[in-house]
Amino acid sequence: MKARRPLEGLKVIDFTWLISGPIACKTLADHGAEVIKIETSSIPDNIRITTPFNANITGVNRSATFANYNSSKYSLTLNLRHPKASKIAERLVIWADVVVESFRPGTMKRWGLGYENLRKIKPEIIMLSMTMQGQTGPFSHVPGVGTQLQALVGVTHLTGWPDREPVGTPIPYPDFISPWYIVVAVMAALDYRRRTGQGVYIDISQLETSLQFMGVPLLDYTVNGKVQTRMGNQHPYAAPHGVYFCRGDNRWCAIAAFTDEEWRSLCEVMANPSWTKEPRFATFLSRKKNESELNTLVEEWTSMHTAEEVISLLQSAGVPAGVVQNGQDLLEHDSQLRHRHHFWAFDHHETGQHVTEMAPYRLSCSPGEPKWAAPCLGEHNHYICTQILGMSDAEFIELVTEGVLE
């Protein structure tokens, strides 16, 4: 018999958009929660119009990024600017246990969906708001997205080469940190409600969740007064440390030798070439002093082998190393990810098959798994209105005609 998912019976309204909130709500859905994602046709989740698109054909239902972060959810298009929409939202709140939103502070309140109003509708409701910098403070109303936030939190300042300007990263790191705080906070709130019968409001700042990744620079300044900056691929406590070209087309490996033992093992794997015995590489400090020459010589060796050969040899010898993988490697060649069934493929109504990811943990007795493909915009309008909210078909048609279900 298939194990029961741990969050079966939990009901969630998902007012989030882009990456963080959708990933968090998808995680709840993959573990059994019923999650209804609320959008409108005129203002859909921006990630629906974000590349890559299936077969390079644009459309609100064709974004692979949206598909990855929104599997296992229902989709309802509700025009919250319509006077009748608030009544639908209130019926959804009565149905729900948890409301998650990621609008700018005050937006939900303007729609009559602030926490105080929701409490009047359902006192035990749990509401979580996730914003750039929290609900209060001088910059709480500043809009933005993860790429700006990673500059604000300091990631951009550390990314790049020491003699060049900050470059940032194409991936907004903060968006992939806060989802797990959202999930944990919701779990804690559910436990609180179980014990007290009371609902709770949770205010999450992505700036503060992202600061967890900046512990070392913050501590270095705290104890030494040092402002850390860009180091390229170097590390203050390892040499060699970097990525090295390997045989093949744009193939690379990463190597890090933190200890003398790891350095000696690396030398043995490289068959102890004469340069490894030179005084300039004899100690960690001398290797750091001559790091540029060291990297050139290490790369002369790695370039004669495939990345997989280098990693197999080094990992067997106890030297930290890994293949610099690309998207094809991760999806088609990584046997560890395949073993843990990290990627799931579903048939989508409009695009054919799409891939979604599973959360990075496995529960022993009640494992979760994605349930179905990401929804098309408004795909479940009729089901939600008639089966969940108990409307008649006539009532549903009236809402469609009047533009409430946009």
Side-chain angles (χ1 to χ4, degrees), residues 14-23 25 37-50 53 59-61 63 65-67 69-70 73 75-77 102-103 145 375 377-378:
D14 175 6
F15 282 102
T16 69
W17 58 307
L18 291 174
I19 298 176
S20 291
I23 290 177
C25 292
K37 184 177 180 64
I38 309 288
E39 303 167 86
T40 68
S41 299
S42 56
I43 311 176
D45 184 343
N46 277 6
I47 210 74
R48 283 189 179 274
I49 51 175
T50 301
F53 294 103
V60 293
N61 297 319
S63 167
T65 310
F66 178 88
Y69 302 147
N70 289 281
K73 299 180 185 178
S75 172
L76 175 69
T77 49
S102 62
F103 295 109
V145 293
L377 187 61

Side-chain angles (χ1 to χ4, degrees), residues 318-329:
V319 180
V323 174
V324 178
Q325 299 199 102
N326 56 35
Q328 182 182 25
D329 293 326

Side-chain angles (χ1 to χ4, degrees), residues 174-187:
D175 281 333
F176 298 94
I177 299 171
S178 55
W180 313 113
Y181 286 87
I182 296 173
V183 172
V184 170
V186 168
M187 293 299 101

